[in-house]
Structure formats: structure tokens, C-alpha cells
Amino acid sequence: MGNWMIVPVVLPLIVGALTVLAVRHDLILQRVFSAFTVVGLLAVSIALVFHAAHTGPEMYALGNWPTPFGIVLVLDRLSAMMVLLTSILAAIVWFYASREWDKRGKHFHALFQFQLMGINGAFLTGDFFNLFVFFEVLLIASYGLMLHGAGGERLKAGMQYIIVNLTGSSLFLIGVGLIYSVTGTLNMADLALKVPLVPDSDLALLKAGALILFLVFCIKAAMVPMHFWLPGTYANAPAPVAALFAIMTKVGAYSILRLYSLAFGGSAGDLSWLVAPYLLPAAIVTLVVGMVGVVAARYVTQMVAFAVVGSMGTLMISISLFTPASVAAGLYYMLHSTFAGAALFLIADLIISRRGQFGGSLHAAPEIRQSGLIAALFFMGAIAMASLPPLSGFLGKLQILSASQNSPHMIWIWAVILGTSFLNIIGFGRAGSVLFWKSSAIEGDIQTASDQTFPHQTIIAAGMMLAMLVALTVFAGPVTGYLHDTSAELFDTSGYIRAVMGADTPVAEVTTVAPFAQ
Amino acid sequence: MEFLVASSIGLLSACGVYMLLRGRTFPVVIGLSLLSYAVNVFLFAMGRLQVDMPPILSDTATGYTDPLPQALVLTAIVISFGMTAVIVVLALRTYLEIGNDHVDGLPGEPTDSGETK
């Protein structure tokens, strides 16, 4: 069963290649091929989650080269869960895009497949040069998707997005090079064994390498001060693509969590919890910047993009505490914020496609078609994003608050999380009242070319995204149980290391707790 | 040799970063290429600098150079070539579409980032 972990990487690769080679002129066949992948990924990733929950971490050696010389994929609870999250998101995005978005450019489905391959690979890899390669795969695909059905504004935003990420890739290589030069390994589990043994004279180099990598992951996760690329990119990306991109910031969060709990965590000696002191302030500022951006936004997509920045701040606050409880709470909030952000991008697209020349601007315009239904969807999405009860965001934030109770920075964390939630409510409340209430008072009719009929498929897709939030709330008990096991597994790194390096590897004891834990 | 390699990496990255911070797409593309050359040379140096040493184990060799950085550099070169091609094409397309080669669009012109069509 463990060998099935290669499927989330190889299946989209094969289908993506086939899509380009065999069916590039036939949109219907492209959709069928794509559907085959998303259904297959969904089935495999559900199986992988159950497998990971029962057997613990497992390794797949590509080409059967012995570790640490070969490249490995590692499946544990965290990576299995992230792959499942990607698959669910991909299935809904496929459903939404297959109505009309995939007609606007040529290779939507092929790029979509390669994007899935890169994301799944980044979650599963156990080798950090390989992580670089999968980052590049997902970025190359995302450049294509971002520019899908191009236009002047989108090209400009895409240009900035690519420049930022290419610079990030250069930094990534420098970080990897520095770490390799000191430890002589690229395998994450092997690195975890080597880091405590690094002599004092090389510690500065290793620290520099680890912090440069941290910078790169922060660019991916859109943390202040490296968040500038996100609002422009996400606000200008096509809606289904922006919804899929909701997982991309989480790739950065995942990498930070993985590398800095495994290799630079409790057993790393002098470099224990290397990033915690930098991560917490950055996360707090990110949250504030994001939510102030929500209030200040002039376009609905821009507002959602800033809300995504803010939710990354909340997530990173809970990760930066590096306690099992806070990481479990953060992971729950991550599941929530991925679906909430994606749902809001889809709903924003439903609004914009009906507003004709008014676009996404937050000014009153004549009433849009299906106004009541879309207002209800928007209302639900806004509740989710602002983390009000009864949806899962409330549970997530409550867990984060309670997990930060014993932290010395508890006052800051509580004040910022609660205060910015209020800003979030104001921002979304204003947008909702302008888009739906004021608009209903304005005479006239908007002429739009598309969506004259009732678009079942797009509304159902947006509803499905919200339904995932409801499901997350209803099954909060089992999900939280799984996440607590996940974070316990993250903090007790011996299982991961033994799975990769062999069962009889001597593993260093976890000796220190994170600086903000107690 | 160490001094020569280190200072050339430093010079390449300094020029790369300077060009990267320019406002027009062409210098930015050149800056990114310079930066990626600097990174490639840097990765080479990560296996320690050795002259005339084989990267393959054999009984007769007196010493070895680390083959892994060379494999990494090969991958990195391929990726950075591909990326340069992408960004050159995109810069051209952006120029044709919005009529100027400024990374931010025309300075002072209001943007309409809510438009997704």
C-alpha cells in the first residue's frame, strides 16, 4: 500500500502529458482525462490518509536507491492529509472550470495536471533539492495557469509574480547549497541526524542556509514583508486558478512546518527552533496587514486576496508557537482557510461575471442576476473567512487562542487575532452591503454576454466548496483527533527518521521545547 | 582560486540584484540571468573547490571531487534556462499588450486589479 504514494505524483504527470500529446484539440476529451485524474487522486489520497493513520510514516525510494543517496518520497499523516486536501480542492476546481473557464485558453487541463503533480510532489518529497524541483514544477504550471486567457492587467501581474518567484528560486538554491556544504546531505531525515553533529565553526553557515530557506518559504507563504506579490497575482488570476492557488500558500506553510520541526526542531542542539523567534512577529504583522488590506480593498477579488494573506498570518501564529496543541490547531485552521479562500474566489467570480462593465469594483451597480442566491453564498463565505460561528473557522480560531494561552506573548496573539477578526467582519460587511443591498436600490439592468441562463455547475461548485466547511465543522471531532496524532508525529521525529534511514537508526532525543511554548 | 571564485560570485550577484531592482523588464530579465549564473557557480563551489580530481570512485585516484553539486547544477541550469525563456516571452507579450515595458505598467496610471476578464 505504501507504494501507492507515488500515484499522486505520477498519475497527473502521465495524464497531463497525454492531454498535451493526444487530445489537445478536443476539449471534451480533455475534461474527461482531467476528471479521470481528479477522481483517481481523490480515491488514492483517501486510501493514503487511512494508511498513514494506521501504519505511521513510510518511505518510497525512487529507483530503489538506498537512502541517503537516492531521492525518497515519505508518507506520513501530515503529507497524506495535504495530498487529500489538494485532491478535494482540485476536484471542485475541475467542476467549476469545466463549465466555461477552460475554453478561454488552450492548455488549461494540461497545466492543471502539472500543477497538481508539483503540489503533490512538494508535499510527499523527503529530500530538499527534490523539493526545489517540485516547487519549480508547480510554479511553471502556475505561471501558465495564472496567464490563462490573458489580458493586459493579468500579464502585468503575472510578470511581477514570475520575477518574485524566480528570485525566490535563486535564494532557494543558495540555501540548499549552504546546507549541503556544511552537512553533506540533502535528505531531510538524514539532515535531522547531521544537524546536531555540525561543529561550532560551521554553525553560522548552516544557520544562514536555514534562514535563507526560511525566507524562500515565507515568499511562498506570502508572509510580511514578502507578501506583495500575492494580492496582485490572486486578484488577477482566473477564479478557478485563484481557488487552486489557495493551496499554494499552504505549500510554504507546510515546508516551514516540515523542515523546521524535523531538522531544526527539538533535537537540533544549538539550532533548536531556529525560526520561531522570527516567525511569530512576522505572522502577527502579516495578519494585521492582511486584514487592513481587506478593509482598504477596492475590488472584491483584491479583498479576498488580502483575506488569504491574513489567514496565512493566523496560521503562522499558531505554527510559530511550535507546541503539539498549537500545531494541531493551526492545521485545522489551515484546512478551513484553504476551503474558505477558494470558496470566496469562486463566489467573487460569480459576482463579477454578472456585473458586466462594473467588474469587481466595490461600487453599487444595478442588481445582478440570481442576486439572492449569490448573496447567500457570499454571506456564508464571509462568515467562514471572518471565523464566526457556526462554521469551522470559529473552531479553528478558538483552538488557536486556547493553544496560545500559556505563551508569554499570549496578550499580543489574542489582541491581534480578535482585533483583526473584527476588521475582517467590517471589510466583508461593507462589501456585501454595497454589492447586494445598495445594488438592489439602483434602477437599470446589466447586459452581460455570459451567464444568461442559470449556471448550475458553477453555483454548485461554489456550494460544494462551502459544503466542505460544513463537513469540517460537523466532523470536527474525528478531524481534530487525526490532527493531534499528526502533530504528535511531527514533534516525535524518530518515527519519520527511522522510516527513511532504517529501523535501527539511533535517533537523538528531543531535548528542548520551543521558546514560546510555555 | 578561492578568492577569484568568491569575488566573481559576489560581483555577479551584486550586478544581478542591481539589475533586478530596475523598473523595466529587459534589465530585470538580464538581472535574473546574472543571478542564476551566480547561483550556479555558487552551487559548484559547495562541493569544495578541487582541480583535476575525478568525480567517480576508482582505485587509482588520489582524491575525489564531490559529484553531487554537479548534478544539482545541471538541474538548476536546465530550470533557469527554461525560466529565462518563459520570462522573455512574457516580457515581449506584456510589451505588445500594454504598450510599454515597465514592470509596474505606466508609472502613475491607475490600475484596475478587480477586472478578471
Side-chain angles (χ1 to χ4, degrees):
Chain A
M1 181 65 221
N3 291 351
W4 283 76
M5 77 178 87
I6 191 75
V7 172
V9 181
V10 169
L11 180 66
L13 173 67
I14 294 174
V15 176
L18 278 179
T19 310
V20 177
L21 292 175
V23 295
R24 65 178 177 278
H25 300 302
D26 189 339
L27 192 61
I28 303 293
L29 267 182
Q30 283 187 25
R31 284 177 187 166
V32 172
F33 272 49
S34 233
F36 174 72
T37 325
V38 292
V39 171
L41 281 183
L42 212 52
V44 170
S45 54
I46 290 172
L48 286 180
V49 164
F50 280 105
H51 183 70
H54 283 120
T55 58
E58 248 185 64
M59 174 200 69
Y60 178 85
L62 294 165
N64 226 2
W65 282 78
T67 49
F69 305 107
I71 293 170
V72 293
L73 299 182
V74 186
L75 180 82
D76 66 349
R77 284 189 176 83
L78 180 60
S79 49
M81 182 191 82
M82 298 307 293
V83 170
L84 177 61
L85 179 64
T86 314
S87 310
I88 297 174
L89 202 64
I92 301 176
V93 165
W94 173 86
F95 195 65
Y96 190 94
S98 292
R99 181 179 153 80
E100 60 156 337
W101 267 106
D102 55 359
K103 286 181 200 150
R104 300 191 187 182
K106 267 198 162 166
H107 294 296
F108 179 86
H109 287 289
L111 289 167
F112 180 65
Q113 303 298 324
F114 291 126
Q115 171 95 73
L116 291 180
M117 175 207 164
I119 295 174
N120 286 336
F123 287 143
L124 286 169
T125 184
D127 173 292
F128 61 106
F129 189 78
N130 205 221
L131 182 66
F132 165 77
V133 175
F134 278 123
F135 265 36
E136 290 304 312
V137 171
L138 76 88
L139 285 173
I140 295 169
S142 79
Y143 302 153
L145 283 176
M146 152 90 210
L147 298 169
H148 182 75
E153 269 311 308
R154 185 169 298 156
L155 281 169
K156 212 169 67 190
M159 189 80 197
Q160 294 164 2
Y161 173 61
I162 296 183
I163 292 170
V164 168
N165 277 303
L166 286 187
T167 318
S169 304
S170 299
L171 284 177
F172 199 139
L173 284 175
I174 293 176
V176 167
L178 279 174
I179 292 182
Y180 177 76
S181 74
V182 176
T183 61
T185 183
L186 292 167
N187 186 303
M188 290 184 198
D190 196 23
L191 182 69
L193 294 175
K194 298 269 170 65
V195 164
L197 308 177
V198 170
D200 279 350
S201 55
D202 285 344
L203 268 189
L205 271 181
L206 182 58
K207 193 174 175 187
L211 287 179
I212 287 176
L213 273 191
F214 174 59
L215 202 66
V216 178
F217 297 147
C218 279
I219 295 177
K220 298 283 178 286
M223 298 284 287
V224 166
M226 274 81 69
H227 68 286
F228 293 105
W229 61 272
L230 189 142
T233 307
Y234 282 33
N236 285 299
V241 174
L244 187 65
F245 281 9
I247 193 81
M248 298 244 295
T249 45
K250 275 69 180 181
V251 177
Y254 167 86
S255 309
I256 290 177
L257 191 56
R258 171 67 80 209
L259 193 60
Y260 297 100
S261 68
L262 182 65
F264 299 97
S267 54
D270 291 344
L271 295 182
S272 285
W273 312 111
L274 181 66
V275 297
Y278 309 98
L279 193 52
L280 183 64
I284 288 179
V285 179
T286 307
L287 179 52
V288 173
V289 166
M291 290 313 172
V292 169
V294 168
V295 177
R298 289 178 298 154
Y299 303 95
V300 60
T301 42
Q302 206 180 23
M303 185 180 72
V304 180
F306 273 110
V308 169
V309 174
S311 70
M312 283 314 288
T314 314
L315 166 60
M316 286 305 192
I317 286 176
S318 67
I319 287 182
S320 71
L321 298 175
F322 283 115
T323 64
S326 76
V327 168
L331 290 176
Y332 186 82
Y333 187 77
M334 172 161 74
L335 296 177
H336 158 81
S337 69
T338 306
F339 288 124
L344 276 168
F345 277 118
L346 296 186
I347 295 165
D349 184 52
L350 291 176
I351 296 170
I352 292 169
S353 66
R354 284 164 181 70
R355 288 199 3 138
Q357 74 273 25
F358 293 99
S361 117
L362 289 177
H363 294 293
E367 193 169 8
I368 59 175
R369 268 182 209 84
Q370 298 112 22
S371 173
L373 184 59
I374 292 173
L377 288 176
F378 183 83
F379 181 61
M380 246 180 100
I383 284 181
M385 200 35 119
S387 304
L388 293 175
L391 290 180
S392 48
F394 177 69
L395 298 173
K397 270 197 186 164
L398 203 63
Q399 287 183 46
I400 292 175
L401 292 179
S402 88
S404 63
Q405 242 173 4
N406 296 321
S407 155
H409 301 281
M410 174 252 193
I411 295 180
W412 279 101
I413 295 173
W414 279 52
V416 169
I417 289 186
L418 294 174
T420 51
S421 299
F422 184 60
L423 284 182
N424 195 329
I425 297 169
I426 294 176
F428 276 93
R430 183 195 60 146
S433 67
V434 167
L435 288 174
F436 300 106
W437 288 348
K438 273 196 191 154
S439 295
S440 67
I442 290 181
E443 295 291 320
D445 193 25
I446 300 180
Q447 294 300 319
T448 51
S450 62
D451 285 325
Q452 295 296 323
T453 53
F454 189 82
H456 297 282
Q457 198 171 340
T458 47
I459 288 187
I460 290 172
M464 283 199 298
M465 209 63 101
L466 291 171
M468 293 315 299
L469 293 172
V470 176
L472 202 55
T473 319
V474 173
F475 297 107
V479 172
T480 318
Y482 180 85
L483 294 177
H484 275 287
D485 291 345
T486 306
S487 78
E489 200 175 79
L490 273 176
F491 282 89
D492 179 20
T493 52
S494 57
Y496 187 98
I497 295 173
R498 290 211 169 99
V500 178
M501 302 300 295
D504 48 356
T505 314
V507 179
E509 285 295 308
V510 175
T511 48
T512 50
V513 292
F516 301 142
Q518 293 297 325
Chain B
M1 186 169 68
E2 276 82 2
F3 177 76
L4 203 61
V5 172
S7 50
S8 61
I9 293 173
L11 195 65
L12 273 174
S13 351
C15 297
V17 170
Y18 175 75
M19 298 287 256
L20 197 59
L21 295 174
R22 310 290 294 174
R24 305 209 167 255
T25 49
F26 183 68
V28 169
V29 173
I30 299 290
L32 279 171
S33 322
L34 287 181
L35 203 59
S36 69
Y37 292 142
V39 168
N40 291 341
V41 180
F42 179 78
L43 273 186
F44 247 126
M46 281 302 97
R48 306 294 186 272
L49 294 170
Q50 311 270 6
V51 180
D52 279 350
M53 293 289 181
I56 302 166
L57 291 174
S58 78
D59 292 334
T60 53
T62 50
Y64 306 103
T65 179
D66 190 350
L68 200 80
Q70 308 189 9
L72 301 189
V73 168
L74 185 62
T75 315
I77 289 174
V78 171
I79 290 177
S80 71
F81 269 8
M83 286 301 169
T84 310
V86 168
I87 199 162
V88 166
V89 170
L90 184 67
L92 280 174
R93 180 73 189 271
T94 313
Y95 174 69
L96 295 176
E97 196 94 17
I98 63 179
N100 70 75
D101 65 345
H102 202 275
V103 175
D104 268 339
L106 267 186
E109 193 191 32
T111 58
D112 180 23
S113 50
E115 187 59 60
T116 58
K117 284 194 176 169

